[in-house]
Amino acid sequence: MTYMILILGFAMLIKGADYFVEGSSNIAKMLKLSPILIGLTLVAFGTSSPEAAVSIRAAMKGSNGIALGNAIGSNLFNISVVVGITAIVNPLRVERETIRKEIPFTLLSTFLLLILIMDIKLQLFHKNQLTRADGLVLLSFFTIFIYYLFELAKNSREKKEEEDVVNISTGKNLLFTIGGLVGIIIGGELVVRSSTQIATDFGISETLIGLTIAAIGTSLPEMITCITAAAKKHSDIAVGNIVGSNIFNILFVLGTSACVTPIQVEEKLFVDVLFMMGYTTILLIFSKTQHKITRAEGILLFLSYVLYIVYSIGLRS
């Protein structure tokens, strides 16, 4: 029964995110926003809403491992598997501004997270944790990112022909957006409840569940969105979606979760944060080569995730 609840939760998260992205993206298109901006904002935040629902709900229930592991695991999965498979489907073109600003900001956000959780080494505390003050710091950086996006929006509004405007009512878009959000919230509760139960039944750490099962499940919307975008040759939306999602996961999801309740960090999780920093650096390097991510690079990213999972399970077994 627990597995059925988990599958139902994932289904609600994925379908809810699908409706949320469709409704909010259509509204953005009506407002004549550029594809890269849509990818960085509404699509990215919409596809990351399952991570937000799961991590914040887990923090409220005191499941620190799932709250932190889900956000970090999702970012690892996004860069390795989602970018990898998407590049295999169709080589990903990366915008110059994404290379110069958004990916480095993702790297900065990861480094900031690493510094904030190093309480024992940097502040000589008796334990590492993401405190409410740390959460406010992360949310402050998220505010800076939002300000940057507003500036980007002002400078990148595109003049579209009348036929390019989505022919669907604003009311229906709002209904899709709100209905999708409700599905995301309920699905998040089901995933947290069932994942915690599975971890308890098998004696597996909540962190490992968060890094693997929960992370992969909540990252499915990003994968579906990116593969679809790449197949339609909208790689600017695909890359923007991943970069925006990862920034959202670190700054907003973990920031909000820590503000809800301090999150204790297990020592082994530092390895995963370093992996996340390494993957982001690799993404930056790959993006700089001809301003695209090739099929060969995509295969390398995908295979590296398999090795990471084997290592992560061995580390915590």
Side-chain angles (χ1 to χ4, degrees), residues 41-211:
T41 54
L42 294 173
V43 176
F45 297 172
T47 55
S48 285
S49 49
E51 285 92 335
V54 169
S55 290
I56 293 172
R57 185 58 184 161
M60 293 173 65
K61 293 172 71 71
S63 300
N64 293 335
I66 292 179
L68 198 53
N70 177 52
I72 294 173
S74 293
N75 280 15
L76 290 168
F77 186 84
N78 284 346
I79 296 178
S80 57
V81 177
V82 177
V83 171
I85 292 179
T86 307
I88 293 171
V89 172
N90 189 43
L92 288 172
R93 180 172 56 87
V94 185
E95 296 287 339
R96 187 179 300 274
E97 288 299 297
T98 300
I99 298 172
R100 290 182 58 248
K101 296 180 180 178
E102 284 101 36
I103 298 180
F105 193 84
T106 309
L107 191 59
L108 174 64
S109 301
T110 307
F111 182 71
L112 174 64
L113 175 64
L114 180 63
I115 295 298
L116 291 177
I117 62 177
M118 293 179 65
D119 294 329
I120 295 178
K121 290 187 178 180
L122 297 182
Q123 302 187 57
L124 302 179
F125 287 174
H126 65 282
K127 63 181 179 180
N128 295 311
Q129 65 175 353
L130 206 59
T131 64
R132 286 190 173 91
D134 294 334
L136 290 175
V137 172
L138 291 173
L139 290 176
S140 297
F141 273 78
F142 183 68
T143 303
I144 294 172
F145 180 64
I146 292 298
Y147 174 77
Y148 162 73
L149 292 179
F150 275 121
E151 290 298 311
L152 185 64
K154 283 198 302 184
N155 298 325
S156 65
R157 292 178 70 91
E158 296 182 341
K159 296 294 182 182
K160 293 182 179 288
E161 299 297 329
E162 186 67 28
E163 60 268 22
D164 289 334
V165 178
V166 179
N167 187 23
I168 185 171
S169 68
T170 303
K172 189 172 182 179
N173 284 322
L174 289 174
L175 182 63
F176 274 21
T177 304
I178 295 172
L181 189 58
V182 171
I184 288 166
I185 293 172
I186 296 175
E189 165 65 18
L190 295 178
V191 169
V192 171
R193 186 189 306 171
S194 55
S195 296
T196 305
Q197 185 62 48
I198 292 172
T200 303
D201 292 343
F202 286 90
I204 303 172
S205 69
E206 289 185 348
T207 302
L208 184 57
I209 291 291
L211 285 167

Side-chain angles (χ1 to χ4, degrees), residues 286-302:
F286 283 177
S287 299
K288 282 188 172 183
T289 57
Q290 301 177 343
H291 294 280
K292 69 177 182 179
I293 299 171
T294 65
R295 286 190 173 91
E297 291 167 341
I299 293 172
L300 184 61
L301 285 170
F302 177 77

